[in-house]
Amino acid sequence: KAGVTQTPRYLIKTRGQQVTLSCSPISGHRSVSWYQQTPGQGLQFLFEYFSETQRNKGNFPGRFSGRQFSNSRSEMNVSTLELGDSALYLCASSPAAGGGNEQFFGPGTRLTVL
Amino acid sequence: AQSVAQPEDQVNVAEGNPLTVKCTYSVSGNPYLFWYVQYPNRGLQFLLKYITGDNLVKGSYGFEAEFNKSQTSFHLKKPSALVSDSALYFCAVRDTNAGKSTFGDGTTLTVKP
């Protein structure tokens, strides 16, 4: 099976712009989670989607949003970018939502905000 | 609120020696516990998990972890370290109510030849 894929892998934006990141989960996986990884803050949970519904949300401002499509692919959007949004954004999929299911991570999208 | 602590930012061991990467957690209910490894410029890879049952769980690449409920710990161990084990290790917890996953800050393991 192909792994989790994320596009684009690298992105450079300027403050105030918006960005959309895409994630394709492993075939058959219906749960997708997003994380922000930075050197100072570690791995921070953004949100989790299952069957097109947001199940959990982390402590991020409303500028961060996401959605999941019927084929389980997911997108996250960040509007009005700030310098502090520079980070590695990781997507993870699992067969089902929550509990004891391990997550399979993509390689990430490296976002740089200038 | 749930939390995970990895008290050591860095662990250094010599190749062939046993290694331990520490993790303690806090959840309101029963925990699901996970270890992931991240190699440079790559995403996280699942190593092992504790759901229920035996307190000692075995995972990929010869790693194992021991769940200790009284000490709320889930330390990662390996009897004989390899240079190729050098990476960033994350402990994660999720409560049984299927809430979000919370990750520790990570521990950088360096194995020297």
Side-chain angles (χ1 to χ4, degrees), chain A residues 9 33 35 37 41-43 45 48 55-59 88 90 97-103 105-107, chain B residues 32 34 36 38 41-46 49 51 88 90 94-105:
Chain A
R9 292 292 311 279
S33 297
Y35 296 87
Q37 186 177 18
Q41 297 294 319
L43 210 66
F45 171 78
E48 178 187 14
R55 297 188 74 249
N56 289 294
K57 190 177 191 303
N59 297 322
L88 180 67
L90 293 168
N101 293 290
E102 63 266 29
Q103 295 179 301
F105 284 80
Chain B
Y32 293 131
F34 305 83
Y36 292 87
Q38 187 176 34
N41 301 314
R42 298 179 66 175
L44 279 70
Q45 297 177 30
F46 167 75
K49 65 181 179 182
I51 304 300
L88 181 58
F90 290 94
R94 179 180 285 199
D95 69 39
T96 53
N97 293 320
K100 66 179 183 179
S101 292
T102 299
F103 283 75
D105 289 340

Side-chain angles (χ1 to χ4, degrees), chain A residues 7-108:
Chain A
T7 57
R9 292 292 311 279
Y10 301 91
L11 208 48
I12 299 175
K13 293 286 188 179
T14 56
R15 280 180 300 173
Q17 288 187 309
Q18 75 165 18
V19 67
T20 299
L21 311 182
S22 180
C23 172
S24 293
I26 290 172
S27 177
H29 285 194
R30 297 170 61 194
S31 174
V32 173
S33 297
W34 288 88
Y35 296 87
Q36 181 194 65
Q37 186 177 18
T38 59
Q41 297 294 319
L43 210 66
Q44 301 291 315
F45 171 78
L46 280 156
F47 21 68
E48 178 187 14
Y49 288 88
F50 179 75
S51 294
E52 302 178 67
T53 301
Q54 187 180 88
R55 297 188 74 249
N56 289 294
K57 190 177 191 303
N59 297 322
F60 279 82
R63 300 185 297 107
F64 291 80
S65 63
R67 58 179 176 169
Q68 186 180 34
F69 302 96
S70 58
N71 62 358
S72 295
R73 190 177 70 84
S74 177
E75 289 181 347
M76 67 163 280
N77 184 277
V78 188
S79 61
T80 321
L81 284 166
E82 300 177 359
L83 295 179
D85 296 334
S86 294
L88 180 67
Y89 290 88
L90 293 168
C91 167
S93 75
S94 59
N101 293 290
E102 63 266 29
Q103 295 179 301
F104 296 81
F105 284 80

Side-chain angles (χ1 to χ4, degrees), chain B residues 78-92:
Chain B
K78 187 174 183 181
S80 179
L82 300 172
V83 172
S84 58
D85 293 330
S86 298
L88 181 58
Y89 290 81
F90 290 94
C91 180

Side-chain angles (χ1 to χ4, degrees), chain B residues 33-107:
Chain B
L33 294 157
F34 305 83
W35 275 102
Y36 292 87
V37 59
Q38 187 176 34
Y39 297 101
N41 301 314
R42 298 179 66 175
L44 279 70
Q45 297 177 30
F46 167 75
L47 272 181
L48 50 79
K49 65 181 179 182
Y50 171 82
I51 304 300
T52 186
D54 288 342
N55 291 340
L56 184 65
V57 293
K58 294 185 183 297
S60 307
Y61 312 120
F63 284 94
E64 59 189 27
E66 185 166 12
F67 170 65
N68 188 316
K69 188 173 183 177
S70 62
Q71 298 185 4
T72 62
S73 67
F74 189 57
H75 301 330
L76 181 70
K77 300 182 179 184
K78 187 174 183 181
S80 179
L82 300 172
V83 172
S84 58
D85 293 330
S86 298
L88 181 58
Y89 290 81
F90 290 94
C91 180
V93 66
R94 179 180 285 199
D95 69 39
T96 53
N97 293 320
K100 66 179 183 179
S101 292
T102 299
F103 283 75
D105 289 340
T107 298

